[in-house]
């Protein structure tokens, strides 16, 4: 399933061979298929919605990532196709990236489960995209690094953690500067402000 950050809904994507799709031609066959293989999804999606949505888009080819193959081919060239040396080097090179992608998969699960409806999460996505537009080589959204670059996965995770730290510290700094500026203005011009009780001020803050 994939989360939509715009309308806060989820999209269900079904992966299986084309011949299996071709066997399902009617709405009742869709329901029987899902009841057999994904019974818990039927009440969540709804019988009528499932019947209609299944046929809205034709089955399409899945474009897979072949980075493992590319890396293996590069190492084959590097070691003149000495398979023993190639396998040892491939293991050494690829294991850190395998661990990183496992961690990223778990993070993606947590993100979809708990964060997609968070206002701060949506704000950070928006901010990250703006910063990426301004500084495309410095701030790169995690999805962009992971999907559209050849950056190694463990290096992607390191850069993601670094830029999260930088952006978070920047937001804290902006907050502190804003609070300090507001306090200065309040103190500096307090004599020009209308008299207001602390209780009334606190009520207004809560209302805001």
């Amino acid at each position: 399933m994939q989360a939509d950050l715009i309308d806060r809904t989820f999209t269900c994507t079904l992966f299986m061979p084309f011949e299996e799709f071709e066997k399902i031609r009617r709405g009742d066959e869709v329901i029987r298929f899902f009841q057999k293989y994904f019974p818990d999804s039927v009440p969540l999606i709804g019988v009528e919605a499932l019947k209609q949505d299944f046929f809205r888009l034709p089955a399409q080819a899945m474009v897979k990532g072949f980075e493992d193959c590319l890396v293996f081919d590069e190492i084959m060239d590097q070691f003149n196709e000495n398979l023993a040396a190639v396998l040892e080097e491939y293991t050494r090179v690829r294991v850190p990236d395998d661990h990183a992608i496992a961690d990223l998969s778990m993070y993606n699960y947590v993100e979809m489960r708990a964060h997609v409806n968070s206002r701060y999460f949506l704000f950070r996505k928006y901010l990250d995209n703006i910063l990426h537009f301004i500084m495309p080589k410095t701030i790169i959204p995690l999805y962009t690094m992971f999907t559209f670059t050849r950056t190694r996965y463990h290096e992607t995770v390191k850069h993601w953690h670094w830029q999260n730290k930088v952006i978070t510290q920047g937001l804290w700094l902006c907050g502190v500067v804003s609070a300090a500026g507001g306090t200065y203005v309040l103190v500096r011009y307090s004599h020009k402000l209308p008299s207001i009780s602390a209780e009334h001020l606190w009520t207004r803050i809560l209302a805001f």
Side-chain angles (χ1 to χ4, degrees):
M1 300 187 73
Q2 179 178 353
D4 189 322
L5 298 180
I6 297 176
D7 61 8
R8 300 182 181 182
T9 60
F10 284 87
T11 300
C12 178
T13 306
L14 178 62
F15 298 98
M16 64 182 180
F18 279 107
E19 54 265 26
E20 296 298 322
F21 280 103
E22 292 169 359
K23 294 178 182 177
I24 303 174
R25 299 185 178 276
R26 302 191 311 270
D28 59 323
E29 293 175 341
V30 173
I31 301 305
R32 283 200 297 270
F33 174 85
F34 273 82
Q35 286 176 339
K36 180 178 180 180
Y37 295 104
F38 312 104
D40 57 337
S41 69
V42 177
L44 291 174
I45 299 174
V47 171
E48 294 305 318
L50 199 51
K51 289 180 180 179
Q52 296 176 12
D53 293 347
F54 185 86
F55 297 105
R56 277 188 181 174
L57 293 175
Q60 299 177 355
M62 178 182 175
V63 182
K64 295 182 180 182
F66 289 102
E67 187 172 21
D68 283 333
C69 300
L70 291 173
V71 172
F72 190 83
D73 185 63
E74 291 167 356
I75 296 177
M76 286 280 281
D77 291 339
Q78 180 183 347
F79 287 88
N80 299 316
E81 301 186 5
N82 180 342
L83 195 57
V86 167
L87 292 176
E88 182 178 351
E89 178 65 9
Y90 180 81
T91 300
R92 184 192 68 81
V93 167
R94 211 61 183 151
V95 163
D97 296 324
D98 291 341
H99 291 168
I101 199 171
D103 292 339
L104 286 172
S105 296
M106 179 56 67
Y107 170 76
N108 184 64
Y109 164 74
V110 173
E111 180 180 277
M112 293 177 64
R113 181 196 67 193
H115 299 329
V116 291
N117 287 329
S118 163
R119 291 184 179 180
Y120 178 75
F121 175 81
L122 298 175
F123 164 73
R124 275 300 308 271
K125 287 285 187 184
Y126 180 73
L127 178 61
D128 288 354
N129 288 330
I130 291 178
L131 294 176
H132 176 57
F133 179 78
I134 298 172
M135 301 175 287
K137 294 183 179 180
T138 304
I139 303 298
I140 310 174
L142 177 62
Y143 181 79
T144 301
M145 280 192 288
F146 180 79
T147 308
F148 300 112
T149 76
R150 283 291 309 278
T151 305
R152 293 182 59 183
Y153 296 140
H154 78 281
E155 293 175 353
T156 292
V157 172
K158 286 182 180 178
H159 187 82
W160 173 53
H161 287 317
W162 171 82
Q163 68 185 24
N164 267 350
K165 182 178 179 180
V166 170
I167 294 173
T168 300
Q169 289 178 345
L171 291 173
W172 273 106
L173 179 61
C174 289
V176 170
V177 170
S178 298
T183 301
Y184 170 79
V185 170
L186 186 63
V187 172
R188 178 70 174 79
Y189 298 101
S190 59
H191 63 284
K192 297 182 179 180
L193 296 176
S195 177
I196 184 171
S197 67
E199 183 179 354
H200 191 192
L201 179 61
W202 179 245
T203 302
R204 288 192 176 185
I205 292 174
L206 291 178
F208 178 77

